[in-house]
Amino acid sequence: MTEEELLEKGYRKYTGEEIDVYFNTHVCQHSGNCVRGNGEIFNLERKPWILPDNASKDEVKRVIDTCPSGALHYIEKEGVSK
Ligand code: SF4
């Protein structure tokens, strides 16, 4: 999905340096895979609760790939190297 499509569907954007994360609370099934997967990136007791820069881009992708509902998506930024 493109960013436009995600935002249109009600996803909220959490901007990172190398990767942006998108979350839709209405799609979330509250499995907890995200917070259990990496509490540095996903922490419900913090605002914003998603901080994509608190781990490597690969780690962000790894955890989001475990989300069973599709409530989490990511889009990698092009042309960013580090
Ligand atoms: S892993 Fe996905 S479905 Fe589970 S709590 Fe996180 S966002 Fe919601």
Side-chain angles (χ1 to χ4, degrees):
M1 261 189 281
T2 64
E3 172 167 315
E4 288 70 30
E5 288 168 333
L6 287 165
L7 296 178
E8 209 168 280
K9 286 177 194 281
Y11 282 78
R12 190 170 161 203
K13 181 179 183 179
Y14 296 81
T15 303
E17 210 177 300
E18 296 181 55
I19 191 166
D20 293 331
V21 174
Y22 301 81
F23 172 70
N24 189 328
T25 189
H26 302 296
V27 178
C28 177
Q29 292 169 351
H30 309 287
S31 68
N33 288 9
C34 50
V35 288
R36 268 198 310 277
N38 191 310
E40 300 294 319
I41 308 169
F42 302 99
N43 182 347
L44 289 164
E45 284 158 26
R46 181 186 63 200
K47 276 196 172 192
W49 81 281
I50 301 173
L51 287 177
D53 291 340
N54 270 10
S56 70
K57 181 176 73 173
D58 285 345
E59 173 68 358
V60 171
K61 288 158 63 177
R62 183 193 70 77
V63 178
I64 289 180
D65 286 344
T66 70
C67 173
S69 67
L72 286 169
H73 284 269
Y74 59 77
I75 295 179
E76 294 182 65
K77 298 193 174 179
E78 287 175 34
V80 178
S81 60
K82 206 174 163 189

